C-alpha cells in the first residue's frame, strides 16, 4: 500500500470516527462504543458481535450499544490496536497473534500443538491463566474483555499436496505479521512469508505465495478455496480471537456499565462458540463441494518437527505458561 493510500485510509477512518461520540459521562445519554474488525459481515465473528450489541442494548435497557465497523474499514489489526491505544477507538476484535507486538505473553498461543484438544484449549481460556492473559495488556492501554473461538489453523496450498513437513520445503507460506508464526512455519519446513489478509487472495492467485494457514471458516469466507485446492487439517495452532477494550474507555465506564459490557461479552462468547462450530462444519462441506481435497494430517510427524521451538524458549514467563498449560492437559 502506498503512503498516499495509507494517508487516505487514515483520513477516512478519522472522518468515520468523528461521526460518533462516546458519552459515558453525560448523565442519561446512551453510550455508543465503536468496535472495528477485519472480517466479512457473513463471518461468524461479525454475527456474534451483532448478537453482543443486541444483548448489550437489552441488558442495559438501551443505555449502551455497539457501533460495528467490519471488513477492515478502519485499517489492519495492528492499525486498529494503535487507534485504541491513542484513544480514538473503543474496542476491537483481533487475533491473539496480532497482540504479540503489544502484549508479549500472547506469544504463548502461537506455539504449535500446545493443546491436547478443543476441550483443553477452552479449559485454559476460562481458567485463571486465560484471565491473566486478558489482563496482561493493561499496561499497554489495551484490556482483553473476553475470547472468541477461532478454531485451529491448518495449511492450505494452491498446487502441491502437503501431507508431511517435508512437502512444505520450497513453498512460500503466508503467515500473519507475527514473529512466532514466522518461526513456526520455518521450523516445520516452509518459507514463511508475511502478507496482509486483504492481499492474500491475489498473492495466492498470482503465485507470490503457494499456500497459507488458517481455520476452515476463514478459508471458506475469504474464498481462498477458489485458488487453493488442497487443505491439510494438521491443526498446528489454536489461536483465539480476543475482544479488546481500550483502558481509556474501560476506566471511564461506571461500575454498572462495566458489568453490563462484561455480561454481554460472556453471552456473546457462548453464542459465538456454537455458531463457530456450525460454521466450521459448513465451511468444510462447502470447500469439498467446490473441489478442494481435504485431508487429515498425521499429527505425530508434525509435532516431531517443532520440538526445537520449545527447546529454544528463553522467556521464563512463557516457560511457566507452557508448563501450567501442559499440566492442565494432564488432569
Amino acid at each position: 500500500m502506498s503512503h498516499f493510500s495509507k494517508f487516505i485510509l487514515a483520513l477516512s477512518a478519522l472522518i468515520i470516527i468523528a461521526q460518533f461520540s462516546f458519552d459515558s459521562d453525560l448523565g442519561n445519554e446512551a453510550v455508543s462504543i465503536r468496535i472495528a474488525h477485519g472480517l466479512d459481515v457473513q463471518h461468524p465473528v461479525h454475527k456474534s458481535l451483532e448478537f453482543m450489541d443486541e444483548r448489550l442494548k437489552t441488558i442495559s435497557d438501551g443505555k449502551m450499544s455497539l457501533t460495528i465497523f467490519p471488513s477492515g474499514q478502519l485499517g489492519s489489526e495492528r492499525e486498529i490496536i494503535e487507534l485504541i491505544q491513542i484513544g480514538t477507538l473503543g474496542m476491537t476484535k483481533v487475533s491473539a497473534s496480532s497482540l504479540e507486538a503489544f502484549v508479549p505473553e500472547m506469544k504463548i498461543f502461537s506455539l504449535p500443538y500446545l493443546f491436547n484438544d478443543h476441550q483443553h484449549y477452552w479449559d485454559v481460556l476460562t481458567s485463571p491463566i486465560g484471565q491473566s492473559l486478558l489482563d496482561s495488556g493493561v499496561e499497554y492501554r489495551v484490556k482483553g474483555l473476553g475470547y472468541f473461538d477461532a478454531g485451529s489453523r491448518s495449511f492450505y496450498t494452491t498446487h502441491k499436496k502437503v501431507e508431511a513437513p517435508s512437502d512444505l520445503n520450497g513453498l512460500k507460506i503466508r503467515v500473519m505479521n507475527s514473529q512466532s508464526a514466522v518461526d513456526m512455519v520455518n521450523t516445520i519446513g516452509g518459507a514463511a512469508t508475511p502478507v496482509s489478509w486483504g492481499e492474500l487472495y491475489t498473492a495466492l492467485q498470482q503465485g507470490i505465495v503457494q499456500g497459507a494457514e488458517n481455520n476452515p471458516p476463514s478459508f471458506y469466507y475469504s474464498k481462498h478455496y477458489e485458488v487453493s485446492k488442497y487443505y491439510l487439517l494438521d491443526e498446528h495452532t489454536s489461536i483465539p480471537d480476543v475482544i479488546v477494550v481500550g483502558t481509556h474507555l474501560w476506566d471511564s465506564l461506571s461500575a454498572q456499565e462495566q458489568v453490563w459490557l462484561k455480561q454481554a461479552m460472556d453471552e456473546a462468547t457462548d453464542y459465538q462458540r456454537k455458531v463457530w462450530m456450525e460454521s466450521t462444519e459448513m465451511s468444510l462441506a462447502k470447500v469439498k463441494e467446490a473441489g478442494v481435497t481435504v485431508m487429515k494430517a498425521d499429527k505425530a510427524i508434525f509435532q516431531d518437527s517443532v520440538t526445537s521451538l520449545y527447546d529454544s524458549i528463553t522467556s521464563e514467563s512463557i516457560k511457566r505458561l507452557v508448563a501450567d498449560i501442559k499440566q492442565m492437559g494432564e488432569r
Side-chain angles (χ1 to χ4, degrees):
M1 184 184 290
S2 69
H3 291 301
F4 180 74
S5 298
K6 288 181 178 179
F7 170 76
I8 293 299
L9 177 62
L11 182 61
S12 299
L14 290 173
I15 290 171
I16 292 171
I17 289 170
Q19 296 177 49
F20 295 87
S21 60
F22 175 67
D23 301 318
S24 68
D25 21 351
L26 296 184
N28 295 323
E29 292 193 29
V31 175
S32 179
I33 300 174
R34 300 178 299 274
I35 180 168
H37 67 85
L39 298 171
D40 182 86
V41 295
Q42 297 303 314
H43 196 282
V45 163
H46 181 77
K47 293 182 180 297
S48 298
L49 290 175
E50 290 180 320
F51 175 86
M52 184 176 175
D53 174 43
E54 290 303 316
R55 291 302 303 144
L56 184 58
K57 289 173 182 173
T58 300
I59 293 166
S60 69
D61 195 23
K63 295 181 177 65
M64 297 183 74
S65 65
L66 301 179
T67 300
I68 307 170
F69 296 92
S71 305
Q73 291 178 34
L74 302 188
S76 67
E77 290 198 340
R78 184 182 182 91
E79 290 165 338
I80 290 171
I81 294 170
E82 289 171 349
L83 286 176
I84 286 177
Q85 287 185 307
I86 63 176
T88 55
L89 186 66
M91 291 175 61
T92 186
K93 186 293 304 174
V94 294
S95 169
S97 285
S98 294
L99 283 171
E100 283 183 22
F102 306 88
V103 186
E105 291 84 355
M106 288 292 177
K107 291 179 181 178
I108 191 69
F109 292 114
S110 293
L111 287 171
Y113 307 107
L114 178 64
F115 302 103
N116 298 341
D117 50 34
H118 208 56
Q119 185 59 51
H120 180 204
Y121 166 72
W122 273 104
D123 285 347
V124 170
L125 294 186
T126 55
S127 74
I129 295 173
Q131 185 59 51
S132 70
L133 287 167
L134 291 176
D135 293 338
S136 61
V138 169
E139 64 179 295
Y140 308 100
R141 301 190 298 282
V142 291
K143 173 182 172 61
L145 193 62
Y147 296 103
F148 274 179
D149 201 341
S152 297
R153 301 176 74 90
S154 294
F155 290 110
Y156 52 92
T157 48
T158 52
H159 296 99
K160 182 181 178 182
K161 182 187 294 187
V162 171
E163 296 180 280
S166 58
D167 295 329
L168 288 168
N169 292 340
L171 296 185
K172 290 183 178 179
I173 303 296
R174 180 267 177 180
V175 294
M176 293 179 285
N177 189 17
S178 153
Q179 188 58 48
S180 297
V182 169
D183 292 342
M184 179 202 65
V185 169
N186 286 343
T187 300
I188 292 177
T193 308
V195 175
S196 71
W197 181 247
E199 297 172 351
L200 181 52
Y201 186 102
T202 301
L204 289 164
Q205 189 177 45
Q206 295 180 350
I208 297 169
V209 293
Q210 291 81 48
E213 45 88 50
N214 217 316
N215 54 61
S218 293
F219 180 51
Y220 173 66
Y221 285 110
S222 64
K223 301 187 185 300
H224 292 171
Y225 66 88
E226 294 177 347
V227 288
S228 303
K229 293 306 177 183
Y230 299 100
Y231 193 25
L232 179 71
L233 297 176
D234 68 295
E235 300 177 327
H236 44 263
T237 50
S238 296
I239 304 174
D241 281 336
V242 183
I243 306 302
V244 171
V245 58
T247 53
H248 70 283
L249 187 154
W250 180 257
D251 292 342
S252 68
L253 295 175
S254 69
Q256 180 61 76
E257 288 167 340
Q258 290 177 350
V259 168
W260 287 335
L261 185 58
K262 189 62 173 72
Q263 183 180 339
M265 176 74 252
D266 292 344
E267 292 186 22
T269 295
D270 292 340
Y271 174 83
Q272 192 267 347
R273 287 180 66 178
K274 179 176 180 293
V275 172
W276 184 265
M277 186 180 300
E278 294 170 350
S279 182
T280 296
E281 294 172 356
M282 180 275 293
S283 297
L284 287 173
K286 289 290 187 182
V287 299
K288 287 177 183 177
E289 289 174 10
V292 174
T293 300
V294 178
M295 302 159 286
K296 287 273 190 181
D298 180 350
K299 287 190 181 181
I301 58 175
F302 280 88
Q303 288 172 318
D304 289 343
S305 74
V306 297
T307 53
S308 63
L309 282 178
Y310 285 88
D311 295 336
S312 64
I313 296 173
T314 58
S315 166
E316 291 301 320
S317 63
I318 296 295
K319 285 181 181 179
R320 284 194 299 272
L321 277 171
V322 169
D324 290 344
I325 289 170
K326 293 288 189 183
Q327 186 177 30
M328 283 192 69
E330 295 170 359
R331 295 173 185 171

